[in-house]
Amino acid sequence: QVQLVESGGGVVQPGGSLRLSCAASGRTFSWYAMGWFRQAPGKERELVAVIGSTGSLTYYADSVKGRFTISRDNAKNRVYLQMNSLKPEDTATYYCAAANGLAYTTRKENFRDWGQGTQTTVSS
């Protein structure tokens, strides 16, 4: 099992930027893919971005492509989500998640371990 703790959320104006961080402990971090998901009130949790175990493969939802960047530092057991050009529709609770023994996956059901979430609000 992996323990995940997110940080970096907050309130930002439209067009602004935030960087989310997720610290992992437990299983060997460099063995599995990591993902960022988000959930807005009244909506289902959706996949935002995924990064493979080595960092060479990434995936982005169409809604964030070109604005968000996922990265990881395997030496520090951390994954990051740089969010630029934020829009009000990006408002949500953001969760990081660890894949279940897979080096790369974009299937939500393959993410077994979840953080507690960090709130991001984009508002003027």
Side-chain angles (χ1 to χ4, degrees):
Q1 191 172 1
V2 179
Q3 291 75 46
L4 302 168
V5 179
E6 303 98 334
S7 61
V11 180
V12 63
Q13 292 186 343
S17 298
L18 280 176
R19 188 193 195 206
L20 305 184
S21 177
C22 175
S25 60
R27 288 188 278 136
T28 303
F29 182 73
S30 61
W31 289 359
Y32 47 88
M34 294 292 297
W36 284 98
F37 293 75
R38 68 185 180 187
Q39 188 168 19
K43 295 188 176 181
E44 290 189 359
R45 191 171 298 188
E46 64 172 347
L47 176 61
V48 174
V50 171
I51 188 165
S53 60
T54 65
S56 60
L57 292 174
T58 57
Y59 164 87
Y60 296 95
D62 287 343
S63 58
V64 306
K65 202 172 293 183
R67 300 188 298 122
F68 290 11
T69 302
I70 189 170
S71 61
R72 66 189 295 161
D73 185 336
N74 285 348
K76 295 182 178 179
N77 287 4
R78 286 185 176 265
V79 62
Y80 305 97
L81 186 68
Q82 178 67 43
M83 306 187 293
N84 299 329
S85 302
L86 283 161
K87 304 176 181 180
E89 51 264 42
D90 295 318
T91 296
T93 300
Y94 284 73
Y95 300 88
C96 73
N100 183 17
L102 296 172
Y104 183 75
T105 181
T106 59
R107 297 176 66 91
K108 181 181 176 182
E109 58 265 33
N110 290 332
F111 289 86
R112 183 184 72 179
D113 299 301
W114 297 80
Q116 82 289 348
T118 184
Q119 176 67 36
T120 292
T121 302
V122 184
S123 174
S124 54

